[in-house]
Amino acid sequence: MMLTAHSGCDGTAPNSREYLLYALQSGADALEVDVRRQGETLVLSHDAPMAEPLTLREAFSLLPPEKQINCDLKTAGLEEAVYCLAKEYGLENRLIFTGEVDPRLFTGENIPFPEVRWFANINNIEAGLEQRIDTMPPEDARKALLDVLRQLTGLRTAGINWHYSHAQRVWQEARALGLGISVWTVDDEKDLRHFLALKPDNLTTNRIQLACALREEM
C-alpha cells in the first residue's frame, strides 16, 4: 500500500519547496503535486497561475530514488509534456498521473506512456459526475459508479482515484473487477484507521506523519 503526501500536507504551503522538502523527509512513498502550464513552463499550481511558482523541473530534480511522484494534471493536454520532462530525469517509472487525463491515451496496445501509472478519476470517464454524484439518489449514484468501474476495465489503468466517500459505496465491486483503488483525501484519524485496514493501493492524505505512524502500527 502506497501513502501519498497531499500537496500542502501537515500545514505546509501547497505546491511549495517547503512542502516538497517536508514530504520528502516524511515516510510518504509518493508526493502529489498540482501541474499546469504557465506560458511554456510546467509549474506547480492548483488554480490560477501564481506570481513565482515552483516549476515541475525543480520538483523532479529534488525527487530521490525511493520516492514516486503523482502529477495531478489541472488542465487537459499536459500528459506528453510531463512525461517527456520526467524522462529527462529518469522518473518515467516513478510517475503517476491523476486529474485531467485523456482516457484515449490509455486505450489499446500502443500506449504512449507505458511506464506511467494512471489512477483514473471519475470525471475522466463521465464529465461532471464527481460534482453531481452527492446530489443523486443513492441507488442512482451507485449505478453510475458501477458503470464507471466497468468502463475502466477496458483501459490500461492502475485503477480508480476517488474521494473516500465514493469509494465506500462500491469498494467490493471495484476489487471484484480487478481494479486498483486510490482514495483521497483521508485526513480524519478514524477514517485513516478504517481505510488503512482496507489496504487500498494508494491513500492520499494531508496528515502524512499520522498516516505513516498508523501504518507502522498495523
Side-chain angles (χ1 to χ4, degrees), residues 39-183:
E40 297 301 314
T41 305
L42 294 168
V43 300
L44 308 192
S45 178
H46 187 278
D47 298 307
M50 301 163 60
E52 295 184 5
L54 197 68
T55 68
L56 184 58
R57 182 177 292 278
E58 291 175 273
F60 282 168
S61 72
L62 292 171
L63 201 71
E66 69 275 13
K67 302 289 186 181
Q68 299 183 60
I69 188 161
N70 172 14
C71 288
D72 193 41
L73 309 182
K74 308 314 291 186
T75 58
L78 297 180
E79 299 93 341
E80 183 177 3
V82 172
Y83 175 74
C84 289
L85 184 60
K87 286 198 75 171
E88 288 186 34
Y89 288 87
L91 300 178
E92 62 270 26
N93 289 298
R94 292 186 279 141
L95 182 62
I96 300 163
F97 280 164
T98 54
E100 294 291 333
V101 176
D102 186 346
R104 293 172 297 181
L105 296 173
F106 290 85
T107 303
E109 296 299 319
N110 298 316
I111 306 299
F113 323 117
E115 306 93 339
V116 176
R117 295 175 69 198
W118 171 44
F119 279 104
N121 291 81
I122 292 171
N123 285 349
N124 297 145
I125 305 303
E126 184 175 335
L129 179 59
E130 183 79 48
Q131 291 73 29
R132 299 194 311 271
I133 203 160
D134 288 328
T135 66
M136 298 166 65
E139 190 54 35
D140 289 348
R142 178 178 165 78
K143 288 178 180 177
L145 288 171
L146 288 172
D147 184 58
V148 168
L149 296 181
R150 285 190 286 267
Q151 291 186 62
L152 282 178
T153 61
L155 300 173
R156 290 274 295 276
T157 172
I160 186 162
N161 181 52
W162 46 9
H163 190 265
Y164 66 91
S165 62
H166 301 151
Q168 292 190 107
R169 303 185 196 210
V170 288
W171 188 283
Q172 295 303 322
E173 288 85 350
R175 285 302 193 206
L177 289 168
L179 293 170
I181 295 176
S182 171
V183 290

Side-chain angles (χ1 to χ4, degrees), residues 14 37-38 93 188 206:
R37 198 187 294 276
Q38 188 163 310
N93 289 298
D188 179 80
N206 281 303

